[in-house]
Amino acid sequence: MSTWPDTEGALKTFLAADTAIAAIVGSRVFFGMPTNVTDADFPMVTLQRVGGGEAAGDAPVDEALVQIDCWGAVRDKASAWTLCSAVRDRLTQRGDVALNGTVRAGLVVDSVIWLPDPDNARARYSVTAEVTAWLIA
């Protein structure tokens, strides 16, 4: 068993388990954009690690920089904003949180930017978060 947490997997589980997010996207929380998506697949959340490394110290602590994209309908900024707000609410809980049964983390939202898809004008807000994660002993 690895001594390093699966930070991305735990964060995906954490977001998908939130009732406010699930009310908007159902189970559509993915690692990156799925192939062959149609308009019926939106809204959705996609996430990917974009940076980070290990924390200084003796314990295996992962300091991940994660991009979480909140996708709405084509040219529907309001739908993307509603989803982005739910994601931000989930990420801005105070103190450290259990992402799943084996990983705890501290979460900090670094930035939120409006970033519509240049190919089809699909509405998207991109949230960048620092996730400092460790395994629960």
Side-chain angles (χ1 to χ4, degrees):
M1 179 176 158
S2 174
T3 57
W4 291 97
D6 175 7
T7 303
E8 292 161 283
L11 183 61
K12 179 180 180 284
T13 299
F14 179 72
L15 294 173
D18 183 71
T19 55
I21 295 170
I24 299 167
V25 301
S27 61
R28 295 182 304 273
V29 179
F30 304 106
F31 296 119
M33 182 63 72
T35 57
N36 302 319
V37 294
T38 67
D39 285 347
D41 296 316
F42 294 89
M44 75 169 65
V45 172
T46 60
L47 64 110
Q48 63 182 347
R49 185 182 184 120
V50 294
E54 69 182 80
D58 295 331
V61 176
D62 186 21
E63 291 184 333
L65 186 62
V66 181
Q67 178 179 319
I68 304 155
D69 289 326
C70 304
W71 295 91
V74 173
R75 294 180 185 84
D76 184 2
K77 190 173 184 177
S79 68
W81 179 250
T82 299
L83 177 55
C84 178
S85 295
V87 166
R88 287 176 74 184
D89 286 348
R90 184 71 164 152
L91 294 174
T92 55
Q93 299 179 27
R94 298 291 180 241
D96 64 281
V97 296
L99 294 182
N100 63 19
T102 61
V103 178
R104 291 194 70 82
L107 306 167
V108 176
V109 172
D110 279 345
S111 66
V112 177
I113 60 171
W114 169 241
L115 193 63
D117 189 312
D119 295 330
N120 61 15
R122 181 162 310 279
R124 168 178 52 170
Y125 278 93
S126 186
V127 178
T128 305
E130 293 177 31
V131 182
T132 303
W134 60 94
L135 291 173
I136 299 169

